[in-house]
Amino acid sequence: MALLNITSPHTHGPLSTSQIMRLVIYALMPGIFTLAYFFGVGVFFNVIIASISCLGFEAAILKLRNRSIGFYLRDYSALVTAFLLAISLPPYCPWWLIVVGSFCAIVLAKQLYGGMGLNPFNPAMVAYVILLVSFPIPMTQWATPAVLDSSHIPSITETVNKIFFGQQIDGYASATVLDLMKQNSSLALEEIYKKEPLFKNAHFASVGWEWVNIAFLIGGLFLLYKKIFTWHAPISMLLALALMAAIFYDNGSSNSGGSPLYHLLSGATMLGAFFIVTDPVTSAVSKKGRIIYGAAIGVLIYVIRVWGKGYPDGVAFAVLFLNFAAPFIDYYTTPRTYGHNKARIVIAKEKAEK
């Protein structure tokens, strides 16, 4: 009898892989348009360049591997990777930075392991970390939110000149709130909130980022409603992050790491919770495993943000650490095969009788 050697992912239910990927892209749209509203059209340029690059690298590697290009491109997995990478990068970053990131995501983190379903690490997060470590200056230049100063948001012409020709734009770049909190060593939180415009004009956490996170939360809840993933990993991640922030919150001293609401609505928290942590290929398998997986990521995010010496956010690093640990978590949490314990007892009795 011939047995088929079929690799993951396996689709069970009414939705195919391509349909699931399209739903993920649709769910990303509220966050993408919110990013563009606050930080300008550079977000759309990121998405376009990353999409073209990722699809191009995917097609090239498939051609080298003698695989069907059209069949694999139509599953939209490369496009999802492109979208996740694009919205993780600062708007108006150089075009070559996006192309290098696309190469790292598709070629190094995905295709060299065998393609979709075989990669042990999230491709977009691998690319992001490589770029952050290799090119720290362009990776930390975020635009000032438009609601604070619309004159600092580049026009389309300035955007093209900045991205493709390296033309500098005076006064458009600023630190993120996570950078401000990381660099603070003397001011109490109340003083930072009064001093920094990013905090003074905020409703929940910080200007711009709070609404970006809410937009990604809405998209994530849409996917949860469509049963694209279960609640276990994202909710446990958010609860663990909020719990860590609540435990170590000291009412706002200069050593404070920030309130739970600040951590939940800053940086890439909601993007990570609903679009990165839920990756079925690189996360834990069982429900119990996903709870442990998500909670560990939430704890690591807080540790890196508050006590880490280098990078202010930590979502990408935390995800990659737990991608590495996912098989270990699966080993101890995957439900036993039916009859497995009984078989071991029988074998033990037979050995004892001998």
Side-chain angles (χ1 to χ4, degrees), residues 45-235:
F45 280 83
N46 280 12
V47 171
I48 293 171
I49 297 171
S51 298
I52 295 172
S53 301
C54 285
L55 292 174
F57 286 126
E58 182 98 329
I61 297 299
L62 289 171
K63 178 69 174 177
L64 290 174
R65 297 178 62 198
N66 294 320
R67 300 293 182 91
S68 171
I69 296 176
F71 175 81
Y72 287 101
L73 289 186
R74 282 195 294 271
D75 67 14
Y76 295 100
S77 62
L79 203 58
V80 169
T81 298
F83 273 59
L84 293 176
L85 175 62
I87 57 185
S88 300
L89 301 179
Y92 316 104
C93 63
W95 65 271
W96 55 263
L97 189 75
I98 305 172
V99 174
V100 170
S102 300
F103 174 85
C104 294
I106 298 298
V107 179
L108 300 183
K110 180 182 178 184
Q111 288 296 336
L112 286 184
Y113 287 99
M116 183 181 177
L118 297 173
N119 51 287
F121 303 101
N122 185 283
M125 294 299 96
V126 170
Y128 178 84
V129 167
I130 291 175
L131 293 178
L132 186 60
V133 173
S134 304
F135 310 102
I137 294 177
M139 286 292 291
T140 54
Q141 292 184 336
W142 279 85
T144 303
V147 293
L148 296 182
D149 190 351
S150 59
S151 64
H152 284 173
I153 299 299
S155 65
I156 294 179
T157 302
E158 290 175 324
T159 299
V160 171
N161 289 332
K162 176 70 172 66
I163 292 174
F164 293 101
F165 303 106
Q167 177 179 312
Q168 297 300 316
I169 303 174
D170 295 333
Y172 89 97
S174 67
T176 65
V177 291
L178 291 172
D179 288 312
L180 294 173
M181 290 290 287
K182 175 73 79 173
Q183 296 165 8
N184 176 58
S185 60
S186 59
L187 298 178
L189 289 187
E190 186 177 350
E191 294 175 301
I192 297 178
Y193 293 157
K194 291 180 179 179
K195 176 184 176 182
E196 297 293 341
L198 286 173
F199 288 108
K200 284 194 297 185
N201 296 279
H203 296 86
F204 307 107
S206 63
V207 173
W209 288 107
E210 56 189 14
W211 294 109
V212 169
N213 275 277
I214 290 172
F216 283 123
L217 171 62
I218 292 171
L221 293 177
F222 166 75
L223 293 180
L224 192 59
Y225 170 76
K226 288 291 187 178
K227 298 181 179 180
I228 302 302
F229 51 77
T230 64
W231 62 266
H232 302 82
I235 299 303

Side-chain angles (χ1 to χ4, degrees), residues 293-328:
Y293 175 82
I297 289 176
V299 171
L300 271 179
I301 290 172
Y302 184 85
V303 169
I304 295 171
R305 283 181 177 180
V306 177
W307 298 314
K309 297 298 183 182
Y311 305 103
D313 197 339
V315 171
F317 290 97
V319 168
L320 292 181
F321 277 127
L322 267 295
N323 286 166
F324 185 80
F328 177 80

